[in-house]
Amino acid sequence: MRIDVLIACLAALAVLAWIYRRDKRRFEGERAQLFEDVRGLLGDAEISRAANEYPKLRGRYRGYEVTVDAIVDHIAVRKLPSLWLRVTLLADLPVPGPCDVMARAHNVEFFSPHGDFNHVLKLPAGWPDHLTVKCEDPDAMPPEHILTRHIGVFDDLRMKELLVTPRGVRLVRQAAQGSRAEYLVLRQALFGPVRIPRQQLAAMLDAAIALAEDLKQPAAPHSNGAAA
């Protein structure tokens, strides 16, 4: 091989390596920014992060233990990738079984137990028609009238899921949508810099707490003293 060709090849490899390292630093830096605007919102906050992943936030909010993380979803066919913000509130709730409410379900929501539940329930009157309600056991559902009081969270069209279990409440909301050009050409799920607004996270946490505390309230008695 001619020496000038060899030098050109080595130079090209060096440029490619430099581009890779530059893009990797930018990629890592963008993902690390996710919770920058919510610092101080949670007590006893801890942020952990694995390589190439979005960070996970743990802490306490209004006396409850909470976990907040982000899930990259590019499974659905003919849809741009989504970045889902998942807010989990841990609480012992007096509900006998889990119930999941999913907006625009496609049965590919790997980040949710929705697909594992076998029973699809009829939507209660007044609930948005883009919702699907599933559970393990229809006789173990949380009270419908309580869920109805909180179903307004789906007035936000970015809200994806409301999950209630005996262990707590989870809300999932779209935090960002992937770049069309990057995905159509390179099939990469890239979102650019994403920062979760403090007010948005607080609103999701408050909504989860409102539902949890409503579920923990004793049933209102009828006039004859029987439980409702």
Side-chain angles (χ1 to χ4, degrees), residues 111-228:
F111 52 84
S112 165
H114 188 82
D116 298 329
F117 297 158
N118 294 323
H119 296 277
V120 181
L121 305 182
K122 181 181 178 181
L123 279 180
W127 285 32
D129 59 10
H130 66 283
L131 302 182
T132 303
V133 184
K134 297 183 72 175
C135 66
E136 286 183 341
D137 180 359
D139 294 328
M141 281 282 294
E144 180 184 307
H145 70 281
I146 294 181
L147 293 177
T148 297
R149 288 202 289 262
H150 299 270
I151 207 66
V153 295
F154 289 101
D155 291 344
D156 177 357
L157 294 181
R158 286 181 174 266
M159 193 64 71
K160 180 64 173 174
E161 180 183 27
L162 168 61
L163 172 66
V164 178
T165 79
R167 298 187 301 275
V169 174
R170 172 178 289 167
L171 290 172
V172 179
R173 183 183 187 276
Q174 187 186 53
Q177 190 173 66
S179 164
R180 178 178 296 275
E182 296 282 357
Y183 189 66
L184 292 180
V185 176
L186 302 175
R187 309 307 291 179
Q188 292 182 332
L190 298 179
F191 303 96
V194 179
R195 290 191 175 203
I196 302 303
R198 186 185 187 91
Q199 184 177 3
Q200 176 192 308
L201 179 56
M204 292 179 69
L205 289 166
D206 289 335
I209 290 174
L211 174 54
E213 294 188 343
D214 206 356
L215 288 167
K216 289 192 289 185
Q217 292 295 321
H222 291 304
S223 58
N224 62 3

Side-chain angles (χ1 to χ4, degrees), residues 38-45 57-61 66 68 201 205:
V38 302
R39 289 186 180 274
L41 181 63
L42 303 187
D44 301 325
L57 175 63
R58 293 186 178 91
R60 299 191 68 81
Y61 182 81
V66 300
V68 186
L201 179 56
L205 289 166

